[in-house]
């Protein structure tokens, strides 16, 4: 028995020596006790419910006031939850149709009209690409010439069709009639490239359009403000906020296919890097956003100057007066800095108020760059929010 035990011990020693040798040569590896992994818990992040004051909501613009950048799904659910608290028949009809509007359902035919219902009907036609929308917009203006809501609805229609100058005139009438400080703020940014501090203070005191206020201030104030606001907006998952975040970072992290500004910005960055620019895409965007003209003018400046000039002419005709000042050439192609950097109105700009004056601007581009200022319809679009671009991106005007 003792001899058997000794043999077993010798065999165990031999086994240990062999394993030691094999480990030295890397042939044998230590066995690890397998630990069964617990299945990962799915992380589901739910957007918090919102509680809208339905008693104060009569239009799409009221929705933007209280829930700017919030998804239509959450907005319509909030309206639905509170609908039972509304007793007034007309108000209830407006809210029912607002819910249908957000769900992209056909609006109810109620047998009677009002400025709220008819304005909503026009926007529903715009968002569903109804060919009668222009005819019905004109009829809306004729039917309710004294009501502010008529003009803001018509302004959104004209804006979608690339009629920026006409849209701005209608927007101005809305501001004059409504005294809406948020619309006044947007109009100041559009018209002057800056905002009045008293207008901004009035908007802040009323506690509406919170994200829009951040976005507009980022676009019109110093670059330091843009960078601060960009860090605040980067986690807000709607196109208008992500556009500011993109400008702050200098790169596109997320493209929204219905946001013309993000698409244009992305093509401008590709051009800077020497990559091929999708000119077909930009040609499809030009009616809705004049900034696309700047990228196309820059892309064609050297090889096809006549085509480049036509894009500058089309830009002028769509936005009206253009101001410019000469700037040193940098590592960016001419005109591109106007697309990827905030544009501020400065003194000393030369003004192009007639088409024939464009030639002077174009000659400048042969030897230097320019900083441009024009009335940018992006500010007007911001008042209508992401919903506008999401639902009108297929219109070609």
């Amino acid at each position: 028995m003792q001899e058997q035990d000794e043999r077993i011990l010798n065999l165990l020693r031999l086994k240990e020596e062999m394993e030691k040798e094999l480990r030295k040569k890397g042939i044998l590896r230590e066995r690890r006790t397998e630990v069964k992994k617990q299945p990962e818990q799915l992380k589901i992040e739910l957007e918090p419910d919102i509680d809208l004051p339905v008693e104060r909501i009569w239009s799409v613009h009221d929705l933007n006031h209280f829930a700017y950048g919030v998804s239509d799904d959450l907005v319509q659910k909030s309206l639905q939850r509170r609908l039972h608290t509304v007793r007034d028949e007309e108000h209830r009809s407006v809210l029912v149709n607002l819910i249908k509007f957000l769900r992209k359902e056909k609006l109810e035919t109620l047998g009677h009209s009002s400025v709220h219902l008819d304005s909503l009907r026009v926007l529903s036609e715009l968002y569903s690409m109804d060919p009668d929308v222009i005819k019905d917009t004109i009829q809306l203006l004729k039917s309710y010439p004294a009501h502010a809501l008529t003009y803001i609805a018509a302004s959104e229609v004209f804006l979608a069709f690339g009629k920026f100058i006409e849209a701005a005139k209608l927007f101005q009438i809305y501001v004059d009639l409504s005294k809406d400080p948020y619309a006044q703020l947007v109009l100041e940014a559009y018209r002057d490239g800056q905002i009045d501090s008293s207008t901004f203070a009035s908007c802040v005191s009323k506690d509406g359009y919170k994200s829009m206020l951040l976005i507009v201030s980022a676009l019109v104030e110093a670059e330091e403000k843009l960078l601060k606001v960009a860090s605040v907006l980067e986690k807000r998952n709607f196109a208008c906020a992500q556009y500011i975040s993109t400008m702050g970072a200098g790169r596109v992290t997320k493209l929204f296919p219905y946001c013309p500004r993000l698409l244009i910005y992305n093509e401008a960055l590709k051009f800077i890097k020497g990559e091929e620019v999708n000119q077909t895409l930009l040609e499809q965007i030009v009616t809705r956003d004049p900034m696309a003209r700047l990228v196309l003018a820059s892309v064609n400046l050297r090889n096809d100057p006549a085509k480049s000039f036509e894009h500058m002419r089309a830009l002028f005709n769509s936005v009206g007066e253009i101001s410019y000042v000469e700037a040193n050439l940098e590592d960016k192609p001419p005109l591109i800095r106007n697309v990827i950097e905030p544009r501020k109105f400065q003194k000393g700009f030369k003004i192009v108020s007639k088409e024939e004056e464009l030639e002077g601007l174009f000659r400048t581009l042969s030897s230097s760059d320019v900083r441009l200022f024009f009335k940018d319809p992006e500010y007007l679009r911001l008042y209508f929010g992401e919903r506008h671009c999401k639902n009108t991106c297929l219109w070609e005007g």
Side-chain angles (χ1 to χ4, degrees), residues 357-376:
E357 293 172 343
L358 275 172
E359 293 181 3
L361 166 58
F362 207 70
R363 281 195 299 271
T364 301
L365 289 172
S366 63
S367 58
S368 62
D369 198 358
V370 296
R371 293 301 304 253
L372 290 175
F373 174 84
F374 55 81
K375 293 176 180 177
D376 187 357

Side-chain angles (χ1 to χ4, degrees), residues 377-388:
E378 174 69 5
Y379 290 111
L380 303 183
R381 275 200 299 262
L382 282 170
Y383 183 79
F384 303 115
E386 180 188 54
R387 187 181 296 111
H388 172 81

Side-chain angles (χ1 to χ4, degrees), residues 65 180-183 185 195-217 221 225:
H65 179 106
D180 177 354
Y182 301 101
L185 182 89
I195 53 179
D196 187 89
S197 58
S198 62
T199 307
F200 189 78
S202 176
C203 291
V204 172
S205 69
K206 295 180 184 302
D207 202 32
Y209 284 90
K210 291 181 181 178
S211 293
M212 189 192 78
L213 293 180
L214 285 173
I215 292 167
V216 173
S217 65
E221 295 185 26
K225 180 62 176 284

Side-chain angles (χ1 to χ4, degrees), residues 39-198:
E40 291 186 8
Q41 297 292 323
L42 289 176
K43 293 181 180 179
I44 302 175
E45 295 184 3
L46 298 176
E47 203 172 353
D49 287 337
I50 57 173
D51 191 17
L52 293 175
V54 291
E55 68 279 0
R56 298 174 61 186
I57 293 172
W58 284 84
S59 71
V60 175
H61 316 294
D62 294 331
L63 296 180
N64 285 338
H65 179 106
F66 296 107
Y68 193 89
V70 178
S71 71
D72 283 353
D73 183 54
L74 280 181
V75 171
Q76 63 90 10
K77 285 178 180 177
S78 178
L79 293 178
Q80 187 70 57
R81 281 198 307 272
R82 297 288 307 282
L83 187 60
H84 71 280
T85 65
V86 178
R87 302 300 179 210
D88 179 77
E89 184 180 349
E90 183 186 350
H91 193 186
R92 187 179 176 87
S93 296
V94 170
L95 292 172
V96 166
N97 277 291
L98 271 173
I99 292 169
K100 288 182 175 294
F101 174 79
L102 296 173
R103 292 175 177 172
K104 296 182 171 55
E105 297 174 0
K106 188 175 181 179
L107 302 191
E108 288 185 359
T109 304
L110 302 166
H112 66 275
S113 296
S114 72
V115 66
H116 297 97
L117 292 170
D118 289 353
S119 296
L120 183 60
R121 192 168 290 112
V122 162
L123 293 185
S124 179
E125 289 177 353
L126 176 67
Y127 288 8
S128 62
M129 302 180 68
D130 190 319
D132 289 336
V133 64
I134 294 295
K135 172 177 68 67
D136 290 341
T137 299
I138 294 171
Q139 184 57 51
L140 180 71
L141 290 166
K142 290 179 179 178
S143 300
Y144 307 99
H147 204 292
L149 189 57
T150 299
Y151 296 94
I152 197 64
S155 178
E156 183 170 359
V157 172
F158 277 79
L159 189 63
F161 281 87
K163 303 296 183 183
F164 308 130
I165 297 172
E166 294 83 355
K169 290 177 180 177
L170 291 162
F171 204 99
Q172 178 68 69
I173 297 172
Y174 170 73
V175 170
D176 294 340
L177 291 173
S178 69
K179 310 303 180 186
D180 177 354
Y182 301 101
Q184 175 65 36
L185 182 89
V186 165
L187 196 60
E188 287 175 5
Y190 164 80
R191 186 182 58 224
D192 306 323
Q194 54 190 359
I195 53 179
D196 187 89
S197 58
S198 62

